[in-house]
Structure formats: structure tokens, C-alpha cells
């Protein structure tokens, strides 16, 4: 990956902002001005955060394309048909990365041109704090060097893996949408702590750090979550009593159904 790599975002929503922050913090780019974003004038308020970070901003996709080596398509899936014709003649040899849920490589390739170098990637918002997780698949024109650029770029904001395109929708259901599930659990745990008399700030801190720690235990020990769960449960103790309540409440089934619903939604876009 070039030390002078320039990254442009077509679209300036929350995911684009999260990635931009992560790239700058992770020094994936030489300086903030090597990151740019574009959006219509009607949505100019979305560019304010980018400007505050020191990024370049445009209302013209051509200007953004001219100063970018990697272009990240960060618009909503329903907006993609409006954007692709606008940039079709500009893609040339640029590496295009789409983070739009449910938009397949074949559709992107058809709406641009057969020679376009296109990667489909699903990140998540913890990229802001460089604890994200991304997966990607590549179109037929993408070279090994392009794949290496994607891995190095997104590797600065968390973990990244290459997968078959058939897995991307399920990935969206697990990690793309997953932070929202985790925030809901953190909020519920904290509310439970407050109900039992804990100060709210402390309750949030305990719940959030507990989730961080549990995640790191799974990743760093390579131990099955069920084994780690059993290690916390003493016979007749507090934890097994709490887990019994969660199972009766259907937590496991609800989360599995949430992942399924998010995955199916991708196919409807």
C-alpha cells in the first residue's frame, strides 16, 4: 500500500465517517487531507464532520474521483443506481470498494463496466476505535496487489477477512448489524444494574468492559464460548441462575432470529 494513498468516499454518512476516523487514527493515510468525501449539496450537513477532521469535501463526484486512488461507495443501496451512472466514465483503473448492503458484485460490475476493479466489503462502526471487523470479496478484475491494498487499508481499523460473496449477507447479519445488538445488551445490563442500586455511569462502564473482556477471551484463548461460559458458572451459583432466566426468556433464539432477519433483509434490497 502506497504511503501516499488517497481514499475517497462517495457518501458521507455514519459508516463513511467511522472509516475515515479510523483510517486517520490508524495512519492508513499520510494525513487527513488524503481522505475526501462527496455528497449532494442537499446533504451538505453530512460533510461537516469530515471537514472537522481535516478531510477534503466535494459536491461533485468527478472532483473526488480525480484525487482518489481508492474510492469507497458509501451510499445507501437504493441510491447506488443514481451514483453508478454518474461515475461510470471515471472509474478507469481505480479500485472501487462498495460497502452497500445487499448490492452484489455482478450488479456493480454491470452498472459500471466489465473492466472495473470492484470489491464488495462489509465493515462495522467500531472501525472508529480501530476495533472493527470487515470481510470482503473481489470482482474478476481485482488483482492480488489490489486485494493486498484492501487488507492493509482496512487492517488498520480492525480485523479483515476475505470470504466468498455468498457469505456477505450473513456477515452483515452478524457483524455489520451486530454492534447494535451488543449496545442493546449493554444498555439492558446497565439498566439492570441501576435497578439494583448502581450509579448509571458505573453500570455502563461495568457492562461495556465486561463485553469487551468476554470478546477478547474468545479471540485470544481460542476457547469455545460454551466452555468459557461453563467456567463462570458455579453449581447452584448466581451465574447459572441468571443464565437459566436468559434461556427461559428466549435470548439465544431471539439473537439467532435477529441475525436471520438482517441476513434476509439484505436479499430484499
Amino acid at each position: 500500500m502506497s504511503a501516499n494513498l488517497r481514499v475517497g468516499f462517495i457518501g458521507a454518512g455514519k459508516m463513511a465517517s467511522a472509516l475515515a476516523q479510523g483510517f486517520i487514527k490508524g495512519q492508513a493515510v499520510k494525513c487527513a487531507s488524503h481522505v475526501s468525501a462527496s455528497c449532494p449539496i442537499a446533504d451538505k450537513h453530512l460533510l461537516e464532520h469530515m471537514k472537522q477532521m481535516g478531510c477534503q469535501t466535494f459536491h461533485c463526484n468527478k472532483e473526488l474521483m480525480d484525487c482518489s486512488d481508492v474510492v469507497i461507495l458509501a451510499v445507501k443501496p437504493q441510491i447506488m443506481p443514481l451514483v453508478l451512472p454518474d461515475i461510470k466514465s471515471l472509474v478507469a483503473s481505480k479500485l472501487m470498494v462498495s460497502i452497500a448492503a445487499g448490492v452484489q458484485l455482478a450488479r456493480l460490475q454491470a452498472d459500471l463496466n466489465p473492466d472495473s476493479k470492484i470489491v464488495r466489503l462489509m465493515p462495522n462502526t467500531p472501525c472508529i476505535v480501530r476495533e472493527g471487523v470487515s470481510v470482503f470479496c473481489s470482482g474478476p478484475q481485482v488483482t492480488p496487489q489490489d486485494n493486498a491494498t484492501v487488507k492493509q487499508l482496512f487492517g488498520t481499523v480492525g480485523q479483515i477477512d476475505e470470504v466468498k460473496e455468498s457469505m456477505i449477507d450473513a456477515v452483515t447479519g452478524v457483524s455489520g448489524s451486530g454492534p447494535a445488538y451488543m449496545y442493546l445488551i449493554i444498555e439492558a445490563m446497565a439498566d439492570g444494574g441501576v435497578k439494583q442500586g448502581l450509579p448509571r455511569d458505573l453500570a455502563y462502564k461495568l457492562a461495556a468492559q465486561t463485553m469487551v473482556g468476554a470478546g477478547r477471551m474468545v479471540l485470544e484463548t481460542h476457547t469455545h464460548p460454551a466452555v468459557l461460559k461453563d467456567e463462570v458458572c458455579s453449581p447452584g451459583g448466581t451465574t447459572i441462575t441468571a443464565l437459566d432466566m436468559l434461556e427461559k426468556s428466549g435470548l439465544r433464539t431471539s439473537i439467532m432470529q435477529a441475525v436471520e432477519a438482517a441476513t434476509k433483509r439484505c436479499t430484499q434490497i
Side-chain angles (χ1 to χ4, degrees), residues 60-72:
C60 173
N61 290 335
K62 182 181 186 306
E63 292 182 57
L64 177 132
M65 297 283 286
D66 286 344
C67 69
S68 302
D69 303 307
V70 177
V71 178
I72 299 176

Side-chain angles (χ1 to χ4, degrees), residues 105-133:
L105 282 172
R107 177 177 160 192
L108 293 165
Q109 202 88 44
D111 288 346
L112 288 174
N113 63 64
D115 296 325
S116 302
K117 299 194 296 182
I118 306 173
V119 169
R120 182 180 173 193
L121 184 144
M122 178 51 58
N124 63 8
T125 53
C127 287
I128 295 176
V129 292
R130 301 177 62 202
E131 288 288 353
V133 58

Side-chain angles (χ1 to χ4, degrees), residues 3 33 47 90 98 102 133 176 179 203 218 226 241 247 260:
S33 63
L47 294 174
L90 307 173
S98 169
V133 58
V218 173
T241 302
E247 292 288 5
E260 180 180 3

Side-chain angles (χ1 to χ4, degrees), residues 6-218:
R6 293 177 179 270
V7 181
F9 292 89
I10 295 181
K14 292 180 180 178
M15 195 65 246
S17 178
L19 287 169
Q21 288 182 71
F23 291 156
I24 294 167
K25 290 178 182 177
Q27 298 182 322
V29 290
K30 187 176 181 179
C31 56
S33 63
H34 281 205
V35 176
S36 57
S38 66
C39 75
I41 294 177
D43 296 325
K44 63 182 181 180
H45 63 281
L46 295 176
L47 294 174
E48 288 305 314
H49 194 209
M50 293 288 192
K51 289 180 180 177
Q52 290 170 9
M53 286 189 280
C55 304
Q56 297 187 72
T57 60
F58 304 99
H59 295 302
C60 173
N61 290 335
K62 182 181 186 306
E63 292 182 57
L64 177 132
M65 297 283 286
D66 286 344
C67 69
S68 302
D69 303 307
V70 177
V71 178
I72 299 176
L73 299 169
V75 297
K76 295 183 183 299
Q78 59 268 30
I79 304 299
M80 198 68 83
L82 303 176
V83 169
L84 297 183
D86 184 43
I87 63 172
K88 184 174 183 176
S89 63
L90 307 173
V91 294
S93 60
K94 295 187 185 299
L95 179 58
M96 310 294 293
V97 179
S98 169
I99 62 172
V103 183
Q104 297 183 345
L105 282 172
R107 177 177 160 192
L108 293 165
Q109 202 88 44
D111 288 346
L112 288 174
N113 63 64
D115 296 325
S116 302
K117 299 194 296 182
I118 306 173
V119 169
R120 182 180 173 193
L121 184 144
M122 178 51 58
N124 63 8
T125 53
C127 287
I128 295 176
V129 292
R130 301 177 62 202
E131 288 288 353
V133 58
S134 304
V135 301
F136 76 100
C137 58
S138 301
Q141 303 304 325
V142 175
T143 67
Q145 184 177 352
D146 294 326
N147 278 340
T149 296
V150 170
K151 290 178 180 178
Q152 291 175 41
L153 178 61
F154 286 86
T156 64
V157 293
Q159 298 184 40
I160 181 161
D161 289 288
E162 186 172 6
V163 300
K164 296 178 180 179
E165 186 172 19
S166 59
M167 298 181 183
I168 295 284
D169 290 344
V171 166
T172 303
V174 175
S175 60
S177 300
Y181 317 155
M182 300 300 104
Y183 299 143
L184 187 63
I185 292 171
I186 289 171
E187 185 180 33
M189 288 175 65
D191 283 347
V194 171
K195 184 178 180 182
Q196 300 305 314
L198 294 179
R200 183 160 291 278
D201 287 351
L202 177 61
Y204 278 130
K205 181 179 180 180
L206 294 173
Q209 184 57 47
T210 296
M211 183 167 286
V212 171
R216 288 217 168 274
M217 285 286 286
V218 173

Side-chain angles (χ1 to χ4, degrees), residues 207-261:
Q209 184 57 47
T210 296
M211 183 167 286
V212 171
R216 288 217 168 274
M217 285 286 286
V218 173
L219 292 173
E220 295 182 13
T221 67
H222 303 288
T223 303
H224 194 288
V227 174
L228 294 171
K229 176 205 72 179
D230 289 349
E231 290 176 352
V232 186
C233 296
S234 302
T238 58
T239 307
I240 193 63
T241 302
L243 289 179
D244 178 53
M245 179 61 71
L246 291 175
E247 292 288 5
K248 288 176 179 176
S249 299
L251 177 68
R252 185 191 301 265
T253 299
S254 294
I255 291 178
M256 290 175 66
Q257 289 177 342
V259 172
E260 180 180 3

